[in-house]
């Protein structure tokens, strides 16, 4: 399986979010990142939602589709929205797959994640356990769905993309990922199919080796 396009996309993600974002995807945030941009706090969504990061934060913290997403931080960095969160994948793998009944505007984003990976038994990162990869995609799916329904679908265009930073990655699990607002907007307008959306997101999943490679390049 040729992963060259995925590697290029991941390098673009790492380069595009700058040094602060790179540190975040390595799971080493701290006070430096806290001062790099505006920090958001959860605010209960209005009806209809105003499409703010604060509302997105609130939705994640109050449970979506059976997932308890613990948000460590949500902040702005160079035009991107950075979500630092604790993954529940380890717990999910211990007690079995976490089912999802929620649907997006067309169909479940996490279902689309299933469909997009079922075409191959191998995940984009060589050597990654398939169950771990799929569980991580499922969790990403509900986060992306919440972001799309809360922020993007309500007309917020202040950010270029959402970057997810997993602060407690298991061995072999992704460190982070990204989804561009323009992809979600195209999907919402019927210009991008679910499969294409998820293939794009999969190309932006970052692993430890990607971060190490980018770190070495930045030091040269």
């Amino acid at each position: 399986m040729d992963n060259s396009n995925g590697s290029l996309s991941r390098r673009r993600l790492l380069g595009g979010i700058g040094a602060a974002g790179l540190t975040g995807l390595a799971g080493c945030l701290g006070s430096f990142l806290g001062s790099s941009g505006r920090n958001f706090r959860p605010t209960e969504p209005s009806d209809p939602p105003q499409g703010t990061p604060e509302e997105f934060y609130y939705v994640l913290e109050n449970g979506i589709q059976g997932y308890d997403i613990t948000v460590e931080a949500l902040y702005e960095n160079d035009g991107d929205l950075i979500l630092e969160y604790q993954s529940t994948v380890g717990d999910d793998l211990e007690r079995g797959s976490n089912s999802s009944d929620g649907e997006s505007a067309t169909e479940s984003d996490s279902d689309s994640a299933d469909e997009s990976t079922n075409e191959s038994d191998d995940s984009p990162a060589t050597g990654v356990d398939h169950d771990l990869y799929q569980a991580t995609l499922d969790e990403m799916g509900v986060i992306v769905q919440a972001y799309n329904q809360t922020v993007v679908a309500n007309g917020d265009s202040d950010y270029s993309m959402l970057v997810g930073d997993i602060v407690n990655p298991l061995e072999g699990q992704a460190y982070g990922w990204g989804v561009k607002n323009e992809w979600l907007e195209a999907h919402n307008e019927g210009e991008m199919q679910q499969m294409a959306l998820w293939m794009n997101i999969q190309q932006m999943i970052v692993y430890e080796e990607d971060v190490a490679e980018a770190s070495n390049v930045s030091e040269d």
Side-chain angles (χ1 to χ4, degrees):
M1 181 176 178
D2 183 3
N3 294 321
S4 58
N5 289 336
S7 297
L8 286 172
S9 296
R10 291 191 284 273
R11 283 198 291 272
R12 290 193 189 101
L13 169 61
L14 288 168
I17 63 178
L22 175 59
T23 305
L25 285 173
C28 308
L29 282 161
S31 59
F32 172 69
L33 280 182
S35 62
S36 67
R38 180 182 175 189
N39 285 271
F40 300 102
R41 301 302 304 165
T43 300
E44 186 172 0
S46 58
D47 187 14
Q50 296 180 10
T52 66
E54 290 91 345
E55 291 176 322
F56 172 53
Y57 194 143
Y58 183 93
V59 169
L60 291 179
E61 287 256 296
N62 283 272
I64 47 176
Q65 299 182 20
Y67 287 80
D68 286 325
I69 305 296
T70 299
V71 178
E72 293 285 332
L74 181 66
Y75 56 93
E76 179 183 354
N77 181 66
D78 292 336
D80 296 324
L81 195 60
I82 314 294
L83 169 67
E84 195 189 340
Y85 70 99
Q86 292 186 21
S87 174
T88 62
V89 162
D91 296 336
D92 294 340
L93 290 177
E94 287 181 3
R95 64 173 177 260
S97 298
N98 207 343
S99 61
S100 171
D101 296 327
E103 298 293 324
S104 66
T106 53
E107 60 185 12
S108 169
D109 283 328
S110 51
D111 287 347
S112 298
D114 290 339
E115 294 169 6
S116 63
T117 52
N118 282 342
E119 295 180 353
S120 171
D121 290 334
D122 297 324
S123 60
T126 303
V128 174
D129 177 82
H130 181 75
D131 289 340
L132 175 60
Y133 177 71
Q134 188 61 60
T136 302
L137 270 191
D138 291 344
E139 185 175 63
M140 285 168 47
V142 296
I143 294 173
V144 170
Q145 180 179 345
Y147 178 65
N148 188 28
Q149 292 181 339
T150 306
V151 179
V152 179
N154 288 284
D156 191 292
S157 58
D158 291 341
Y159 308 100
S160 297
M161 67 186 306
L162 171 68
V163 175
D165 172 20
I166 299 174
V167 300
N168 61 334
L170 301 173
E171 182 178 356
Q173 189 179 8
Y175 271 33
W177 47 271
V179 57
K180 294 184 178 181
N181 278 28
E182 63 185 73
W183 298 343
L184 295 171
E185 290 167 355
H187 167 65
N188 294 342
E189 294 170 3
E191 298 173 358
M192 180 179 291
Q193 298 298 316
Q194 285 274 16
M195 183 69 70
L197 170 63
W198 270 99
M199 291 300 290
N200 283 347
I201 295 173
Q202 286 178 339
Q203 298 303 315
M204 298 292 255
I205 297 176
V206 174
Y207 290 89
E208 181 179 9
E209 57 267 28
D210 299 308
V211 175
E213 181 181 347
S215 297
N216 291 335
V217 170
S218 65
E219 292 171 359
D220 293 340

